[in-house]
Amino acid sequence: MIRLTFDKTGTGHDDLFLRIGTEPAYLKTADSYYLFDFLEISDEEIKSKNLKGQQLLSFGLIRLLDYWTSRITSIEPGQCTFLPFDLSDEYIGGLLIEARTTDFKLKPVWTDQIHGYAVGQSNLDAQIKNNDLLFKHEVETEWIIDQQTLLGDLELSKKDLSEHLHPH
């Protein structure tokens, strides 16, 4: 199981939550402060959507999940990709995903060679390559998740988030 959500009363700090697995369970909090910068969503686009508060954060997280999905579905067995989540002034953190024959191996990782304020989705891979990054493992635990479950879990997170976009 993997879920991405947010604190409905959050302030931009420690307001994002990433949960993986049940045993062992992993819960990571992060700031949403650089989320829209990373996603390269302009102020004009935000204004045109006329979203506020929870709706805006839901919109950003859905876009992040779409980005993750595109990265996951573009790698072949034996390849790895990085899914950013924790965009901080001092580091970035997220999940290192390795595609295997029928499933994926996930490991929480981080690096202080790239910073949240200086990275965007269009230059992430170039920054990883140009800095010859070696990610540090946040925990020694890893999870094996089949593709259908992983992509289904991301879709469930998107569905939950979309309820904030269009409240009943």
Side-chain angles (χ1 to χ4, degrees):
M1 176 192 70
I2 182 169
R3 293 287 189 276
L4 181 60
T5 190
F6 66 94
D7 179 357
K8 294 169 187 65
T9 61
T11 62
H13 299 286
D14 290 329
D15 59 340
L16 303 180
F17 302 106
L18 175 64
R19 181 186 169 118
I20 305 171
T22 54
E23 291 190 31
Y26 171 81
L27 179 63
K28 176 71 177 176
T29 61
D31 295 348
S32 63
Y33 190 80
Y34 293 117
L35 177 65
F36 292 91
D37 293 334
F38 173 80
L39 294 169
E40 300 165 349
I41 298 173
S42 69
D43 290 341
E44 292 77 29
E45 183 177 354
I46 291 170
K47 286 177 188 169
S48 74
K49 302 250 181 244
N50 197 28
L51 301 173
K52 304 280 188 237
Q54 293 180 16
Q55 291 177 319
L56 184 58
L57 197 46
S58 293
F59 168 73
L61 288 176
I62 289 169
R63 288 276 288 266
L64 181 64
L65 288 164
D66 287 339
Y67 174 73
W68 284 10
T69 299
S70 72
R71 290 179 71 79
I72 291 167
T73 57
S74 69
I75 59 174
E76 300 292 327
Q79 294 179 325
C80 292
T81 194
F82 175 68
L83 306 178
F85 167 70
D86 189 358
L87 303 162
S88 168
D89 287 336
E90 293 104 23
Y91 63 90
I92 63 168
L95 298 173
L96 190 60
I97 303 282
E98 178 186 348
R100 299 168 6 138
T101 306
T102 60
D103 55 29
F104 293 91
K105 181 168 42 172
L106 289 67
K107 286 189 80 87
V109 297
W110 67 280
T111 181
D112 57 5
Q113 293 176 271
I114 299 176
H115 306 100
Y117 56 82
V119 67
Q121 64 182 4
S122 66
N123 65 23
L124 175 64
D125 291 328
Q127 287 202 42
I128 289 171
K129 183 179 178 185
N130 294 342
N131 289 301
D132 198 22
L133 277 185
L134 293 175
F135 288 103
K136 299 171 186 168
H137 297 283
E138 186 173 314
V139 295
E140 288 305 313
T141 304
E142 59 187 40
W143 293 266
I144 306 298
I145 301 177
D146 67 80
Q147 182 172 357
Q148 183 178 356
T149 301
L150 177 58
L151 295 176
D153 284 351
L154 297 181
E155 283 300 315
L156 280 174
S157 288
K158 284 173 52 177
K159 181 179 180 239
D160 291 345
L161 290 163
S162 68
E163 291 177 9
H164 295 289
L165 282 176
H166 312 289
H168 302 308

